[in-house]
Amino acid sequence: MIVKKVPTSKRAAAKSKAHNVRALVDYIAGPKAGGDGEKIEHRGTQNLLNVDHEGQVQEMIDLAEVARRSPQPVQHWIISWREGEQPTRAQADAAVATFLDEMGLAEHQVIYALHRDTQNCHLHLAINRVHPDTEKVVTVNNGFDHEVAHRAIARIERDQGWQREDRALFLARPGGELDRSRPRGGIERQPSGPARDFEERVGERSAQRIALEVAAPIIREARTWREVHDGLAREGIRFERKGSGAVLWIGHEAVKASSAGRDCSLSALEKRLGALTVEPRLLEVPERMPEPVERVPLHWTTYAQERARHHEAHAENRESVRDHQRDEWRRMADRHRRERGDILGGSWRGRGELLNATRSQLAARQAQEKAELRDQQKLERSKLQLARRRFPGFKEWLADRSPDLAQEWRYRERQPPSLEGPTFERPAPHDIRAFEPVVDRGIVHYRLAGKRGAPAFTDRGKVIDIRDSNRRETVLAALQLSAQKWGTFIVHGDEQFRRLCVELAVVHGFKIANPELQHSIVNERARLRGKREHRPIHRPVAIAEAYRLHLADVARKTTDRGTDPSRLDAEVAVRLRLTGHDRPAIARVIKDAAPALRPGEHRDWDRYARQTVDFAFGLPGSQLARHLACRREQLLSVEGRSLECEMASRGRSPALLGR
């Protein structure tokens, strides 16, 4: 789950509290917010006396107006679930209650709604920070409310069984305690929210990320100001004083030097290096070209070129209009000057009253012409602004060419699964079966022998990053290397990766240190012992029974206790897809069997089944299917089928599977 606070726009014109509250609440839960009925699943409120929407809006406005010193006391928060996770109405209500309780706003007014207009179910909350009894504005955690919001998300994930995000700030223990996933000092500094939004939209590294990843190491290693300037100049970056601080010029954008780290601020550097000095030759720095966020995505270079041409064309058009308007003003000013000289020149002795009247009439006419030209040029600039079309984001641009490419960009995995050991050891090449090591400046890349391209996994010393985590043999090789180096290690990654590690650890005797995986390891050992002792004869079953068998198998193997049923149904749908069942059949069986197994859940089961199948046959489901493909024989055996029989019935050899 993720949580986000939507800030009030600083660029838009200031609006009244009443206007903001009404616009926000109408968007979240208004009568017209649902549109065709597919958007809003559930509406709810807390601590409001009125029962109708209009009365609730006015009640929230009246209380917000009491806080005269707070410009916008009503906050907009969004809580979003992962694809394949579908909360019930009761779970949405419970999530809101937990969120308000952790934030210390349990007695405050809130209007919320569960939306399903995207591939991620999400909650919108409008929370009034004015206490209804004391009429005082509550500031959560002295303004650091994101910290508390992430604590609330950890509690909701634990209580309702949702999957944690890889970079979650907090981990909720079964006993109720909340622990930081990483200590404060160990958290890697990240660009701000707007900078990350820019990267997501255009696929380009933001100036803040370049400051953090490129400029900061150079500044920290420098011993003199000359080394600072020379090192930054080689990367196309300029360090410059501004006011009482300093900025880093990255291309045409300036970011605060302190955004690269507190030790990179001007005051910190002057304490370490002395007063700032800049040589004249360093004032001109080569321009830094745009770069993709990570490895070069497919078609990104073409997109960046088209985007640059679009903005260049608009800039040229704007310059042309501006030059034309300046020429018009210059010609009119020259004409007015000549008119005043021709009409008011010469001697006006004895005709003072006529001179005053003539001056007044001439000034009025020229003022009218100026006003007319000003309005005309303002209209031209407005038309130019309206004619400027917004260049699409990278995902939109890809979607016009291929929906699959757009989905691949959206679901790209930036943080690969990894294995962490207790000590740092400089990696050394190891002979692991079919993998060959390649040493690169202190790290070791492992590729399949004779293969080119990206490495399957990389040994960085204390961490082994696994890029090709969908291949069982790759994960096995990485686990073998980890066991050889450390003996005991920690596993990081999503549910499917951890489940595969548990299976391999039981079979090969690896020692995994994760406390939350110990129960799953014990269950897997018991399952394998029972499988060796009892080898039942499987018989083919109908899809309804196949659904129940897969559901029981997934529930038994899951590494997280209390996992929400919608997460289990999502994986079962992918399994049924792999074993040959078509989309309509899977949707029907989930629609019929899920409510029979869970009669206490109040859902729109037709919509639930449709969204579950959308996940299974979409890109996230396809990624999971690739991960499970190596276990297809085992999945077929769950249904009482064998791979040999399936191939024989189709007239093919098992060796051709997957080609």
Side-chain angles (χ1 to χ4, degrees), residues 4-205:
K4 180 180 180 181
K5 181 171 69 173
V6 182
T8 304
S9 175
K10 297 181 180 179
R11 297 183 179 180
K15 299 175 182 177
S16 66
K17 295 178 188 177
H19 184 281
N20 271 339
V21 172
R22 184 172 298 279
L24 172 60
V25 177
D26 283 347
Y27 168 76
I28 290 176
K32 299 181 180 179
D36 58 0
E38 291 293 321
K39 178 177 180 179
I40 294 184
E41 172 82 6
H42 174 56
R43 296 177 174 88
T45 65
Q46 289 190 24
N47 304 313
L48 287 162
L49 300 177
N50 289 273
V51 295
D52 63 298
H53 177 76
E54 185 60 34
Q56 291 169 350
V57 173
Q58 192 58 51
E59 185 178 346
M60 184 172 281
I61 290 174
D62 292 341
L63 184 59
E65 294 283 3
V66 173
R68 300 186 180 277
R69 295 186 179 181
S70 178
Q72 300 299 340
V74 177
Q75 289 183 335
H76 180 193
W77 289 87
I78 301 175
I79 300 174
S80 181
W81 282 261
R82 282 182 171 234
E83 291 86 354
E85 297 181 343
Q86 301 189 53
T88 63
R89 298 179 180 185
Q91 286 174 324
D93 294 336
V96 173
T98 301
F99 186 80
L100 294 176
D101 177 66
E102 188 67 37
M103 298 283 282
L105 302 173
E107 299 178 355
H108 288 241
Q109 296 174 341
V110 60
I111 298 175
Y112 60 91
L114 180 63
H115 287 200
R116 295 184 183 270
D117 55 329
T118 67
Q119 293 173 317
N120 301 77
C121 298
H122 54 281
L123 267 172
H124 288 272
L125 299 89
I127 304 175
N128 194 344
R129 293 185 296 118
V130 182
H131 195 280
D133 295 332
T134 64
E135 297 184 350
K136 293 183 178 180
V137 180
V138 174
T139 302
V140 179
N141 198 27
N142 294 322
F144 296 95
D145 46 8
H146 280 90
E147 176 100 356
V148 185
H150 282 283
R151 291 174 60 89
I153 291 300
R155 287 179 55 190
I156 296 170
E157 290 171 342
R158 178 198 62 199
D159 296 343
Q160 299 185 7
W162 307 117
Q163 185 173 349
R164 292 178 61 244
E165 297 294 331
D166 294 336
R167 302 183 64 86
L169 291 181
F170 291 94
L171 172 64
R173 301 294 182 186
E177 300 85 1
L178 289 174
D179 298 332
R180 273 189 167 271
S181 56
R182 297 178 300 276
R184 289 180 181 272
I187 297 177
E188 182 182 355
R189 192 162 185 171
Q190 293 290 319
S192 65
R196 292 196 298 271
D197 290 343
F198 167 80
E199 293 178 339
E200 181 68 26
R201 171 171 160 71
V202 302
E204 180 183 326
R205 292 176 80 186

